Amino acid sequence: DGGITQSPKYLFRKEGQNVTLSCEQNLNHDAMYWYRQDPGQGLRLIYYSQIVNDFQKGDIAEGYSVSREKKESFPLTVTSAQKNPTAFYLCASSIEAGATLNEQFFGPGTRLTVL
Amino acid sequence: AQKITQTQPGMFVQEKEAVTLDCTYDTSDQSYGLFWYKQPSSGEMIFLIYQGSYDEQNATEGRYSLNFQKARKSANLVISASQLGDSAMYFCAFHTGGFKTIFGAGTRLFVKA
């Protein structure tokens, strides 16, 4: 079955540690996205990638980094520079980023907690 | 600036009744797309329905329909015959063909038995 997988589902981090969240898709989509969701709130864009080896900052990129070495993979690293990283992280993909019909397919999410 | 607003933080509906979730947007673009997503307690976002700005008919998908009023810049979601499994967060989203989709703050729907 085609879809998006994220791992791990739950992640605990000590202050000062970097952690990497995995996102893989087998939908052959060009565009991929990372969002952050805080309790009771909507989604905020962290980074997006239109194509392999290219990515752009979203609204809240500070303290995060990404890579896009393969079309199907878009890992997100939460660095120690991110002061309040406890949140729910959602990865998404779409066929292409620039189309008006830009239905995004989402992964199941990773819940990150800083201890 | 582009903006999307969901004014109802929470809504209650009786099982088997219809409910309307409000969404308004603000843009000067002529070409755009409007989306609704459902987020159950598990956290995954589920795409429900899409309306293009040039579509003359309101979009429908099963029990979901989108009441699109372009002049008012509103794109309300109507769920008919509510079911207990409809209890979830619902997000309205907006895309203009750039590289960013803007999400509203969401409405939490509670379906009562």
Side-chain angles (χ1 to χ4, degrees):
Chain A
D1 282 6
I4 300 180
T5 57
Q6 290 185 245
S7 61
K9 187 170 183 177
Y10 298 96
L11 185 58
F12 298 90
R13 187 193 97 171
K14 292 183 180 179
E15 282 194 33
Q17 284 183 334
N18 292 356
V19 289
T20 297
L21 282 59
S22 169
C23 177
E24 303 275 333
Q25 55 100 356
N26 61 4
L27 300 167
N28 200 32
H29 286 172
D30 285 327
M32 296 187 75
Y33 312 81
W34 272 106
Y35 293 94
R36 170 180 171 143
Q37 186 179 29
D38 292 286
Q41 298 188 27
L43 277 64
R44 293 187 289 169
L45 183 65
I46 305 173
Y47 268 97
Y48 64 92
S49 168
Q50 302 169 53
I51 200 166
V52 174
N53 293 323
D54 180 69
F55 48 83
Q56 306 292 331
K57 292 182 179 180
D59 298 320
I60 56 165
E62 185 176 351
Y64 300 97
S65 66
V66 293
S67 63
R68 187 88 187 273
E69 296 177 2
K70 298 186 295 182
K71 187 175 185 177
E72 56 271 22
S73 178
F74 191 41
L76 173 75
T77 297
V78 184
T79 74
S80 56
Q82 170 50 237
K83 297 304 177 191
N84 186 22
T86 294
F88 187 55
Y89 292 86
L90 283 160
C91 179
S93 71
S94 63
I95 292 175
E96 58 175 300
T100 304
L101 172 50
N102 188 38
E103 175 191 345
Q104 295 186 19
F105 294 80
F106 285 82
T110 292
R111 197 167 297 279
L112 173 63
T113 303
V114 174
L115 303 173
Chain B
Q2 294 169 346
K3 187 178 174 184
I4 194 155
T5 304
Q6 294 181 255
T7 58
Q8 306 152 314
M11 290 278 290
F12 286 88
V13 64
Q14 195 68 40
E15 193 179 9
K16 299 180 185 177
E17 292 186 351
V19 63
T20 298
L21 307 183
D22 294 341
C23 174
T24 59
Y25 58 93
D26 190 15
T27 183
S28 56
D29 290 328
Q30 297 301 308
S31 179
Y32 51 87
L34 295 152
F35 304 80
W36 277 92
Y37 290 86
K38 173 183 177 181
Q39 187 179 41
S41 57
S42 61
E44 187 167 357
M45 296 281 281
I46 302 166
F47 167 75
L48 295 178
I49 196 166
Y50 163 82
Q51 178 85 41
S53 59
Y54 292 117
D55 295 340
E56 295 189 355
Q57 301 284 338
N58 285 345
T60 61
E61 289 287 347
R63 294 187 298 111
Y64 304 107
S65 60
L66 201 153
N67 184 1
F68 181 47
Q69 298 189 41
K70 193 170 181 176
R72 293 186 177 184
K73 294 185 177 176
S74 76
N76 298 339
L77 177 71
V78 180
I79 305 175
S80 63
S82 296
Q83 301 172 356
L84 295 177
D86 293 335
S87 294
M89 281 288 285
Y90 289 82
F91 292 95
C92 182
F94 171 81
H95 186 83
T96 61
F99 303 107
K100 187 170 148 180
T101 297
I102 301 171
F103 288 82
T107 295
R108 184 168 293 279
L109 178 66
F110 300 92
V111 180
K112 299 183 289 183

